[in-house]
Amino acid sequence: MRLLPGVILCAFIALVSFGVQIVEEHWTGRPYLEALVIAILLGAMVRTLWTPGSRWLPGIAFSSKTLLEIAVTLLGASISFQTVLQAGYPLLVGIAGVVAAALLATFGLCRVLGLPKRMAMLVACGNSICGNSAIATVAPVIGAKSEDVASSIAFTAILGVIVVLSLPLLVPLLGLSETQYGVLAGLTVYAVPQVLAATMPISIVSTQVGTLVKLVRVLMLGPVVILLSVIVGSAKAESARPSFKRLVPWFIVGFLALAAARSSGAIPDPVLGGILPAASALTVVSMAALGLGVDLRVLGRVGGRVTLAVALSLVLLLCISLGLIRLLGVL
């Protein structure tokens, strides 16, 4: 019962966020700012105007940690290993190489710009894999602060919209074919819905290729999260032989188990149709909780550096992706 007030508050903010997204879709045709981002912004606004007392804090903490971990577990059901086989091994290796190179380059860039290690890793994962979802998934693994998560998601989301709007301009500028543009969009755009928004104005071929490449890129989140959990667990371990539980959090095990179940067909479509919306809803509730823990003055101090880091990392990702397209000889 002591969790109830804070959870209800976060759920209310999440509900309002979904409502804002629906209105946004009605007026613009697409969600430029998703409910996940809106929830963080609304939570931060509430926190700026009002400081929650002790009655609210347990539920807010529960929502920002436990509910987020449950959401990450449920997101495993969205992964199908068969998608990897459809892409072909050369492209699969290329996508993995782009993700690895972008991760290392972005992390190094963020550190050079003076960002803390955890925020640098959040920005690197968001830029290299799948934007907001990657940031939200990696955050509990590395123990990121609310301010780090909120600022990373906020600035990544804004620049992500800019990418969606400007990427089609590269087709005539660089003389890209429909297939080449699809690969480029899949490698650079953050979220799957944003890939659709960026490719549909070009052609159905670009949309199909871009979606496939993007889905394979999203699959890279699993290995990256497991690697990070092992690194973090090893760093925290006091003994030479840390336990499996310390190396790999329970929600990562659950994520992989659901991914395996989805790939084997053990999860029926009706059940899957309920799991994914639940994961999305829990994620938005968690983001509202994170927003409620954000000090906007901290965001103001790091805003310029985060924006510069995300912008430069996007340029790096674009160059690496174009290099892969040329290397593989995509026509």
Short mmCIF file of all heavy atoms in Angstrom, two decimals, residues 63-106:
data_model
loop_
_atom_site.label_atom_id
_atom_site.label_comp_id
_atom_site.label_asym_id
_atom_site.label_seq_id
_atom_site.Cartn_x
_atom_site.Cartn_y
_atom_site.Cartn_z
N SER A 63 8.59 2.44 -9.38
CA SER A 63 8.24 2.60 -10.80
C SER A 63 9.49 2.81 -11.65
O SER A 63 9.57 2.29 -12.77
CB SER A 63 7.28 3.79 -10.97
OG SER A 63 6.08 3.58 -10.27
N SER A 64 10.45 3.57 -11.14
CA SER A 64 11.64 3.89 -11.94
C SER A 64 12.59 2.70 -12.04
O SER A 64 13.38 2.64 -12.99
CB SER A 64 12.37 5.08 -11.34
OG SER A 64 12.88 4.77 -10.06
N LYS A 65 12.53 1.76 -11.11
CA LYS A 65 13.47 0.63 -11.13
C LYS A 65 12.78 -0.69 -11.47
O LYS A 65 13.01 -1.28 -12.53
CB LYS A 65 14.18 0.51 -9.79
CG LYS A 65 15.25 -0.59 -9.76
CD LYS A 65 15.96 -0.64 -8.43
CE LYS A 65 17.12 -1.63 -8.46
NZ LYS A 65 16.69 -3.01 -8.74
N THR A 66 11.91 -1.15 -10.58
CA THR A 66 11.32 -2.48 -10.75
C THR A 66 10.41 -2.56 -11.97
O THR A 66 10.49 -3.52 -12.76
CB THR A 66 10.52 -2.87 -9.49
OG1 THR A 66 11.38 -2.78 -8.35
CG2 THR A 66 9.99 -4.29 -9.61
N LEU A 67 9.55 -1.56 -12.16
CA LEU A 67 8.67 -1.59 -13.32
C LEU A 67 9.46 -1.49 -14.63
O LEU A 67 9.10 -2.11 -15.63
CB LEU A 67 7.64 -0.45 -13.25
CG LEU A 67 6.57 -0.57 -12.16
CD1 LEU A 67 5.52 0.52 -12.32
CD2 LEU A 67 5.90 -1.95 -12.19
N LEU A 68 10.55 -0.75 -14.61
CA LEU A 68 11.40 -0.65 -15.80
C LEU A 68 12.06 -2.00 -16.10
O LEU A 68 12.15 -2.42 -17.26
CB LEU A 68 12.46 0.43 -15.61
CG LEU A 68 13.43 0.63 -16.78
CD1 LEU A 68 12.66 0.94 -18.07
CD2 LEU A 68 14.41 1.74 -16.47
N GLU A 69 12.50 -2.69 -15.06
CA GLU A 69 13.11 -4.01 -15.26
C GLU A 69 12.09 -5.01 -15.80
O GLU A 69 12.42 -5.84 -16.67
CB GLU A 69 13.71 -4.49 -13.94
CG GLU A 69 14.90 -3.67 -13.49
CD GLU A 69 15.40 -4.04 -12.10
OE1 GLU A 69 14.67 -4.76 -11.38
OE2 GLU A 69 16.50 -3.61 -11.73
N ILE A 70 10.86 -4.94 -15.32
CA ILE A 70 9.80 -5.82 -15.84
C ILE A 70 9.54 -5.49 -17.31
O ILE A 70 9.36 -6.40 -18.15
CB ILE A 70 8.52 -5.66 -15.01
CG1 ILE A 70 8.74 -6.16 -13.58
CG2 ILE A 70 7.36 -6.42 -15.67
CD1 ILE A 70 7.58 -5.90 -12.65
N ALA A 71 9.53 -4.20 -17.65
CA ALA A 71 9.30 -3.80 -19.04
C ALA A 71 10.40 -4.32 -19.95
O ALA A 71 10.14 -4.78 -21.07
CB ALA A 71 9.22 -2.27 -19.13
N VAL A 72 11.66 -4.24 -19.49
CA VAL A 72 12.78 -4.76 -20.29
C VAL A 72 12.61 -6.25 -20.53
O VAL A 72 12.83 -6.75 -21.64
CB VAL A 72 14.11 -4.47 -19.58
CG1 VAL A 72 15.26 -5.21 -20.28
CG2 VAL A 72 14.39 -2.98 -19.55
N THR A 73 12.20 -6.97 -19.50
CA THR A 73 11.96 -8.42 -19.65
C THR A 73 10.91 -8.68 -20.72
O THR A 73 11.09 -9.53 -21.61
CB THR A 73 11.49 -9.02 -18.31
OG1 THR A 73 12.50 -8.81 -17.32
CG2 THR A 73 11.24 -10.52 -18.45
N LEU A 74 9.80 -7.97 -20.66
CA LEU A 74 8.71 -8.19 -21.62
C LEU A 74 9.12 -7.81 -23.04
O LEU A 74 8.61 -8.41 -24.01
CB LEU A 74 7.48 -7.37 -21.20
CG LEU A 74 6.83 -7.76 -19.87
CD1 LEU A 74 5.65 -6.85 -19.57
CD2 LEU A 74 6.38 -9.22 -19.90
N LEU A 75 10.03 -6.86 -23.18
CA LEU A 75 10.47 -6.46 -24.52
C LEU A 75 11.19 -7.60 -25.25
O LEU A 75 11.31 -7.56 -26.47
CB LEU A 75 11.40 -5.25 -24.42
CG LEU A 75 10.72 -3.91 -24.19
CD1 LEU A 75 11.76 -2.82 -23.96
CD2 LEU A 75 9.83 -3.54 -25.37
N GLY A 76 11.65 -8.60 -24.51
CA GLY A 76 12.27 -9.75 -25.16
C GLY A 76 11.34 -10.45 -26.12
O GLY A 76 11.77 -11.06 -27.11
N ALA A 77 10.04 -10.35 -25.86
CA ALA A 77 9.05 -11.00 -26.73
C ALA A 77 8.95 -10.32 -28.09
O ALA A 77 8.34 -10.88 -29.02
CB ALA A 77 7.68 -11.01 -26.05
N SER A 78 9.55 -9.16 -28.24
CA SER A 78 9.50 -8.46 -29.53
C SER A 78 10.64 -8.89 -30.45
O SER A 78 10.69 -8.49 -31.62
CB SER A 78 9.58 -6.95 -29.32
OG SER A 78 10.84 -6.58 -28.78
N ILE A 79 11.55 -9.72 -29.94
CA ILE A 79 12.73 -10.12 -30.70
C ILE A 79 12.51 -11.50 -31.32
O ILE A 79 12.13 -12.45 -30.64
CB ILE A 79 13.98 -10.16 -29.80
CG1 ILE A 79 14.20 -8.79 -29.16
CG2 ILE A 79 15.20 -10.60 -30.58
CD1 ILE A 79 14.45 -7.68 -30.14
N SER A 80 12.77 -11.59 -32.61
CA SER A 80 12.71 -12.88 -33.31
C SER A 80 14.06 -13.15 -33.96
O SER A 80 14.53 -12.37 -34.79
CB SER A 80 11.61 -12.86 -34.39
OG SER A 80 11.64 -14.06 -35.14
N PHE A 81 14.70 -14.26 -33.58
CA PHE A 81 16.02 -14.57 -34.11
C PHE A 81 15.99 -14.89 -35.61
O PHE A 81 17.00 -14.81 -36.29
CB PHE A 81 16.63 -15.74 -33.34
CG PHE A 81 16.86 -15.45 -31.88
CD1 PHE A 81 16.56 -16.40 -30.91
CD2 PHE A 81 17.37 -14.22 -31.48
CE1 PHE A 81 16.77 -16.12 -29.57
CE2 PHE A 81 17.59 -13.94 -30.14
CZ PHE A 81 17.28 -14.89 -29.17
N GLN A 82 14.81 -15.26 -36.12
CA GLN A 82 14.70 -15.54 -37.55
C GLN A 82 14.97 -14.31 -38.40
O GLN A 82 15.37 -14.42 -39.57
CB GLN A 82 13.30 -16.08 -37.89
CG GLN A 82 13.08 -17.53 -37.50
CD GLN A 82 12.74 -17.69 -36.03
OE1 GLN A 82 12.63 -16.70 -35.32
NE2 GLN A 82 12.57 -18.93 -35.59
N THR A 83 14.76 -13.13 -37.81
CA THR A 83 15.02 -11.88 -38.54
C THR A 83 16.48 -11.79 -38.96
O THR A 83 16.81 -11.26 -40.02
CB THR A 83 14.66 -10.67 -37.66
OG1 THR A 83 13.30 -10.79 -37.24
CG2 THR A 83 14.83 -9.37 -38.41
N VAL A 84 17.36 -12.34 -38.13
CA VAL A 84 18.79 -12.30 -38.44
C VAL A 84 19.07 -13.06 -39.73
O VAL A 84 19.82 -12.60 -40.60
CB VAL A 84 19.60 -12.92 -37.28
CG1 VAL A 84 21.08 -12.94 -37.62
CG2 VAL A 84 19.37 -12.14 -36.00
N LEU A 85 18.47 -14.24 -39.86
CA LEU A 85 18.73 -15.07 -41.03
C LEU A 85 18.24 -14.42 -42.31
O LEU A 85 18.82 -14.60 -43.38
CB LEU A 85 18.07 -16.43 -40.85
CG LEU A 85 18.54 -17.23 -39.61
CD1 LEU A 85 17.77 -18.54 -39.50
CD2 LEU A 85 20.03 -17.48 -39.68
N GLN A 86 17.16 -13.65 -42.23
CA GLN A 86 16.61 -13.00 -43.41
C GLN A 86 17.54 -11.92 -43.96
O GLN A 86 17.53 -11.64 -45.16
CB GLN A 86 15.25 -12.37 -43.08
CG GLN A 86 14.18 -13.38 -42.71
CD GLN A 86 12.86 -12.70 -42.33
OE1 GLN A 86 12.67 -11.52 -42.60
NE2 GLN A 86 11.97 -13.44 -41.71
N ALA A 87 18.36 -11.34 -43.11
CA ALA A 87 19.22 -10.24 -43.55
C ALA A 87 20.43 -10.73 -44.34
O ALA A 87 20.98 -9.98 -45.15
CB ALA A 87 19.68 -9.43 -42.35
N GLY A 88 20.85 -11.97 -44.11
CA GLY A 88 22.05 -12.45 -44.78
C GLY A 88 23.28 -12.16 -43.94
O GLY A 88 23.36 -11.13 -43.28
N TYR A 89 24.25 -13.08 -43.99
CA TYR A 89 25.40 -12.97 -43.10
C TYR A 89 26.29 -11.76 -43.38
O TYR A 89 26.77 -11.12 -42.44
CB TYR A 89 26.22 -14.27 -43.15
CG TYR A 89 25.51 -15.42 -42.50
CD1 TYR A 89 24.93 -16.43 -43.26
CD2 TYR A 89 25.38 -15.49 -41.11
CE1 TYR A 89 24.27 -17.49 -42.66
CE2 TYR A 89 24.71 -16.54 -40.49
CZ TYR A 89 24.16 -17.55 -41.27
OH TYR A 89 23.49 -18.58 -40.68
N PRO A 90 26.57 -11.39 -44.64
CA PRO A 90 27.42 -10.20 -44.86
C PRO A 90 26.82 -8.93 -44.25
O PRO A 90 27.52 -8.17 -43.58
CB PRO A 90 27.50 -10.12 -46.39
CG PRO A 90 27.26 -11.50 -46.87
CD PRO A 90 26.27 -12.08 -45.91
N LEU A 91 25.50 -8.73 -44.48
CA LEU A 91 24.87 -7.55 -43.93
C LEU A 91 24.79 -7.63 -42.41
O LEU A 91 24.96 -6.62 -41.71
CB LEU A 91 23.47 -7.36 -44.53
CG LEU A 91 22.72 -6.10 -44.11
CD1 LEU A 91 23.53 -4.85 -44.43
CD2 LEU A 91 21.35 -6.04 -44.78
N LEU A 92 24.54 -8.83 -41.88
CA LEU A 92 24.48 -9.02 -40.44
C LEU A 92 25.80 -8.64 -39.78
O LEU A 92 25.83 -7.90 -38.80
CB LEU A 92 24.12 -10.47 -40.11
CG LEU A 92 24.17 -10.86 -38.62
CD1 LEU A 92 23.18 -10.05 -37.81
CD2 LEU A 92 23.92 -12.35 -38.46
N VAL A 93 26.90 -9.14 -40.34
CA VAL A 93 28.22 -8.81 -39.81
C VAL A 93 28.47 -7.31 -39.94
O VAL A 93 29.03 -6.67 -39.03
CB VAL A 93 29.31 -9.61 -40.54
CG1 VAL A 93 30.70 -9.14 -40.10
CG2 VAL A 93 29.14 -11.10 -40.27
N GLY A 94 28.05 -6.74 -41.07
CA GLY A 94 28.22 -5.31 -41.27
C GLY A 94 27.46 -4.48 -40.25
O GLY A 94 27.98 -3.50 -39.72
N ILE A 95 26.19 -4.87 -39.97
CA ILE A 95 25.39 -4.15 -38.99
C ILE A 95 26.03 -4.23 -37.61
O ILE A 95 26.13 -3.23 -36.88
CB ILE A 95 23.96 -4.70 -38.95
CG1 ILE A 95 23.25 -4.42 -40.27
CG2 ILE A 95 23.17 -4.10 -37.79
CD1 ILE A 95 21.90 -5.10 -40.41
N ALA A 96 26.50 -5.44 -37.23
CA ALA A 96 27.18 -5.60 -35.94
C ALA A 96 28.43 -4.73 -35.88
O ALA A 96 28.72 -4.11 -34.85
CB ALA A 96 27.54 -7.07 -35.72
N GLY A 97 29.15 -4.65 -37.00
CA GLY A 97 30.34 -3.81 -37.04
C GLY A 97 30.02 -2.33 -36.90
O GLY A 97 30.73 -1.60 -36.20
N VAL A 98 28.92 -1.90 -37.55
CA VAL A 98 28.51 -0.49 -37.44
C VAL A 98 28.12 -0.17 -36.00
O VAL A 98 28.52 0.88 -35.45
CB VAL A 98 27.32 -0.20 -38.39
CG1 VAL A 98 26.69 1.15 -38.06
CG2 VAL A 98 27.79 -0.23 -39.83
N VAL A 99 27.37 -1.07 -35.35
CA VAL A 99 26.96 -0.84 -33.97
C VAL A 99 28.18 -0.76 -33.05
O VAL A 99 28.28 0.14 -32.21
CB VAL A 99 26.01 -1.96 -33.49
CG1 VAL A 99 25.77 -1.87 -31.99
CG2 VAL A 99 24.68 -1.87 -34.23
N ALA A 100 29.12 -1.69 -33.22
CA ALA A 100 30.32 -1.69 -32.37
C ALA A 100 31.15 -0.43 -32.58
O ALA A 100 31.59 0.21 -31.62
CB ALA A 100 31.15 -2.94 -32.66
N ALA A 101 31.36 -0.07 -33.86
CA ALA A 101 32.17 1.11 -34.15
C ALA A 101 31.51 2.38 -33.63
O ALA A 101 32.17 3.26 -33.06
CB ALA A 101 32.40 1.21 -35.67
N ALA A 102 30.19 2.49 -33.82
CA ALA A 102 29.46 3.67 -33.35
C ALA A 102 29.47 3.75 -31.83
O ALA A 102 29.58 4.84 -31.26
CB ALA A 102 28.03 3.65 -33.88
N LEU A 103 29.34 2.60 -31.16
CA LEU A 103 29.39 2.58 -29.70
C LEU A 103 30.71 3.13 -29.18
O LEU A 103 30.74 4.02 -28.32
CB LEU A 103 29.19 1.14 -29.19
CG LEU A 103 27.78 0.69 -28.85
CD1 LEU A 103 27.76 -0.80 -28.55
CD2 LEU A 103 27.23 1.47 -27.67
N LEU A 104 31.80 2.59 -29.70
CA LEU A 104 33.11 3.00 -29.23
C LEU A 104 33.40 4.46 -29.56
O LEU A 104 33.90 5.22 -28.72
CB LEU A 104 34.18 2.10 -29.85
CG LEU A 104 34.15 0.63 -29.42
CD1 LEU A 104 35.16 -0.19 -30.20
CD2 LEU A 104 34.40 0.49 -27.92
N ALA A 105 33.07 4.86 -30.80
CA ALA A 105 33.34 6.23 -31.22
C ALA A 105 32.52 7.24 -30.43
O ALA A 105 33.03 8.28 -30.00
CB ALA A 105 33.06 6.38 -32.72
N THR A 106 31.24 6.93 -30.22
CA THR A 106 30.38 7.86 -29.49
C THR A 106 30.77 7.95 -28.03
O THR A 106 30.80 9.04 -27.45
CB THR A 106 28.91 7.43 -29.61
OG1 THR A 106 28.54 7.36 -30.98
CG2 THR A 106 27.99 8.40 -28.88
#
